[in-house]
Amino acid sequence: MAKSLGLIGCGAFGSFMLHHIAPFFQVRIYDRFRDLGPIGQSYKVEVGTLAQVAAAEIVVLAVPVQELGALTLEIAPYLRPGTLVLDVASVKLKPTEILAGNLPTSIDIVSTHPLFGPQSGKQGIAGLNVVICPIRGERAGCVARFLKEMLQLKIIETTPERHDREIAYVQGLTHLIAKILVDIELTDIQQTTRTYDLLMQSVEMVRYDSEELFQAIESINPFVSEAKKRFFDSARRLESRLSRHAAAAPAMEARV
């Protein structure tokens, strides 16, 4: 008999997850901010109360990082001993601190970060990366085997600190650059190069990400400030070099 899985949070990523996990579990979903009737019917999963969903054998928290503190305190009384709790947050140090601090010691915790989303995974998720951070208990290996064998994902096991240090560049800078390009509003450009097309493809992958996700990536990861400083310092050095070259150009032309 399939294990019960409670999914708390059915936003863009939570709903996207259902397509991939519903075939393997008895799924029940909860989201205080959304009408889940259509989602439940579409994926043939039950809609339940917070208490009912938190009573599952496996509980997945797919809510913004900013909501994890209050949510974990709210579900703690409903969790059964031996429950496996996972999150899918884009940062790890703060969420794992919250989960370990707020959930009962009888609860196993595995923190995950799927390195893809509804846009980058719309053609399928096989072969894409997912990060696993074992936090409490011995079930990280079971999670890794399911993700690898059933969903065909590539597993990267690491610590919350190393995750956040690397993701500060992998997402912190790329999402920042994408937001800048979205703000510039480059439209109706016909004379493109392959390099430009690839850049704009990366922009499209994150264009519609929620503001909560963007703020979590940029503000909650403690290593992003260093990454941004290095980026903007380098940009200023490059701007200065270009300015010096531009200033020297008229003199060079005069000599010619």
Side-chain angles (χ1 to χ4, degrees), residues 17 21 36 101 127 199 204:
M17 284 176 56
I21 64 175
L36 298 182
L199 178 62
E204 289 303 312

Side-chain angles (χ1 to χ4, degrees), residues 5-211:
L5 184 147
L7 174 63
I8 301 177
C10 291
F13 190 79
S15 300
F16 172 71
M17 284 176 56
L18 282 173
H19 173 72
H20 300 284
I21 64 175
F24 301 100
F25 301 96
Q26 293 182 318
V27 178
R28 185 175 283 166
I29 59 177
Y30 173 85
D31 192 316
R32 72 175 78 247
F33 301 110
R34 294 175 175 84
D35 175 12
L36 298 182
I39 295 176
Q41 292 176 2
S42 177
Y43 292 103
K44 296 181 173 56
V45 298
E46 293 184 40
V47 178
T49 65
L50 182 62
Q52 290 171 332
V53 172
E57 295 169 276
I58 303 169
V59 177
V60 179
L61 309 180
V63 300
V65 176
Q66 296 88 336
E67 298 177 17
L68 272 179
L71 176 62
T72 48
L73 290 174
E74 192 172 2
I75 66 172
Y78 306 130
L79 297 170
R80 298 183 297 180
T83 297
L84 171 62
V85 173
L86 304 98
D87 75 284
V88 295
S90 295
V91 291
K92 293 290 92 176
L93 275 171
K94 187 61 176 179
T96 55
E97 176 186 327
I98 291 172
L99 268 63
N102 290 355
L103 299 183
T105 56
S106 61
I107 303 304
D108 289 347
I109 304 171
V110 177
S111 191
T112 76
H113 180 193
L115 297 175
F116 54 86
Q119 291 299 314
S120 55
K122 64 183 178 182
Q123 301 300 325
I125 64 173
L128 299 181
N129 293 334
V130 58
V131 171
I132 292 181
C133 297
I135 304 302
R136 184 192 295 158
E138 304 297 329
R139 294 159 74 181
C142 296
V143 174
R145 282 193 296 274
F146 170 78
L147 296 175
K148 180 179 180 179
E149 296 173 7
M150 299 294 103
L151 301 187
Q152 299 180 357
L153 293 170
K154 181 180 177 182
I155 309 303
I156 302 171
E157 184 172 324
T158 188
T159 64
E161 180 178 350
R162 180 168 182 177
H163 170 277
D164 283 6
R165 284 187 182 278
E166 294 185 3
I167 291 298
Y169 291 90
V170 173
Q171 286 191 319
L173 289 189
T174 57
H175 284 236
L176 180 70
I177 293 168
K179 285 288 186 181
I180 291 171
L181 291 175
V182 168
D183 187 63
I184 293 175
E185 296 184 348
L186 300 172
T187 58
D188 299 325
I189 294 180
Q190 298 178 349
Q191 303 173 75
T192 67
T193 63
R194 181 59 175 157
T195 301
Y196 178 86
D197 291 338
L198 289 172
L199 178 62
M200 296 315 293
Q201 285 178 27
S202 68
V203 171
E204 289 303 312
M205 287 184 184
V206 301
R207 177 186 291 271
Y208 303 106
D209 286 350
S210 68
E211 182 64 16

Side-chain angles (χ1 to χ4, degrees), residues 211-225:
E211 182 64 16
E212 290 91 346
L213 174 59
F214 180 66
Q215 291 298 333
I217 290 170
E218 301 297 332
S219 303
I220 299 178
N221 185 332
F223 303 107
V224 165
S225 58

